Amino acid sequence: MVTPGRDYDFIAGEVLIIDKPLEWTSFDVVKRLRSTLTRRLGIKKFKVGHAGTLDPLATGVIIVTTGRATKLIDSLQAGVKEYVATLKLGATTPSFDLETEIDATYPTDHITRDMIDQATARFTGRIEQVPPAFSACKVDGKRAYDLARKGREVELKPKVLVIDEIEVTAFDPEAMTLTLRIVCSKGTYIRALARDIGEALGSGAHLTALRRTRVGDATLGSALSVDDAVELIRNCSLAPQPD
């Protein structure tokens, strides 16, 4: 974690909390920090990993580990996650977000706030969720999103997961936009949750914005921008290495 005034030992292992920018992949973040680290440490190859992938169209908390701290990835990404998601009701897309164009529209005049509260309550607790076809899940050894982007039919099996809380933080009945705060387990696809809530409302829905605000104990309040993380790596005091 980032602590002012201390020496950093990236080889022994550091954990950096990063606020991933929009349209960056999680690997883009890792690649940028790894490149900065190899130059600062004067080595060609260096282990850098991340705990919990975010889609390019999502922003927010991603945990980056260096050196021997990469062994912590499984435990770090197992932490409870919190998101703020914005849904557009009345329209669907194949990817369940803005990666693909709208493929169908539906009436929304029947939707009320009470209906939304009842629908979201159905998805709290232990549930089964079918992952999106546009996901990193593997089908016959291939990534589902590679098949989906080629127009191939993708059938994925439902996965059991836990959604601890869904809070409606805003609903605009004119724009038909819905903002939710979601606390959930590892493996939850918020895009798939948007799909399922849209189906429950009889209107369809897709995700228009997603921000991850917490992974375990890592929060946005302690997150660095990518640029700030680069500056930290370039300018921090390094712990002395054994001969």
Side-chain angles (χ1 to χ4, degrees), residues 106-150:
Y106 303 87
T108 57
D109 291 346
H110 62 286
I111 296 176
T112 64
R113 175 57 193 268
D114 283 344
M115 283 184 65
I116 290 169
D117 289 339
Q118 291 173 25
T120 54
R122 288 170 49 185
F123 297 99
T124 56
R126 188 178 177 87
I127 68 167
E128 287 192 347
Q129 183 186 77
V130 178
F134 286 76
S135 69
C137 294
K138 285 194 173 182
V139 180
D140 297 328
K142 296 181 180 180
R143 296 292 184 186
Y145 56 67
D146 288 332
L147 299 173
R149 286 168 184 154
K150 292 175 182 176

Side-chain angles (χ1 to χ4, degrees), residues 61 80-83 183 212-220:
V61 173
V80 170
K81 297 171 178 63
E82 182 179 72
Y83 297 88
V183 181
R212 186 157 69 192
T213 55
R214 177 165 65 95
V215 178
D217 295 329
T219 65
L220 274 177

Side-chain angles (χ1 to χ4, degrees), residues 63-178:
I63 301 176
V64 175
T65 59
T66 76
R68 291 192 285 276
T70 55
K71 296 177 181 178
L72 302 175
I73 285 176
D74 286 346
S75 61
L76 289 170
Q77 67 186 10
V80 170
K81 297 171 178 63
E82 182 179 72
Y83 297 88
V84 174
T86 303
L87 284 62
K88 173 69 174 177
L89 307 180
T92 58
T93 72
S95 60
F96 313 146
D97 65 4
L98 296 177
E99 181 183 341
T100 53
E101 298 293 325
I102 290 172
D103 60 357
T105 58
Y106 303 87
T108 57
D109 291 346
H110 62 286
I111 296 176
T112 64
R113 175 57 193 268
D114 283 344
M115 283 184 65
I116 290 169
D117 289 339
Q118 291 173 25
T120 54
R122 288 170 49 185
F123 297 99
T124 56
R126 188 178 177 87
I127 68 167
E128 287 192 347
Q129 183 186 77
V130 178
F134 286 76
S135 69
C137 294
K138 285 194 173 182
V139 180
D140 297 328
K142 296 181 180 180
R143 296 292 184 186
Y145 56 67
D146 288 332
L147 299 173
R149 286 168 184 154
K150 292 175 182 176
R152 300 268 298 277
E153 286 289 328
V154 178
E155 290 189 16
L156 296 170
K157 295 180 180 179
K159 295 184 177 182
V160 176
L161 50 88
V162 176
I163 297 181
D164 297 302
E165 189 177 351
I166 303 178
E167 177 189 3
V168 178
T169 60
F171 172 53
D172 184 338
E174 292 186 5
M176 273 295 148
T177 56
L178 174 64

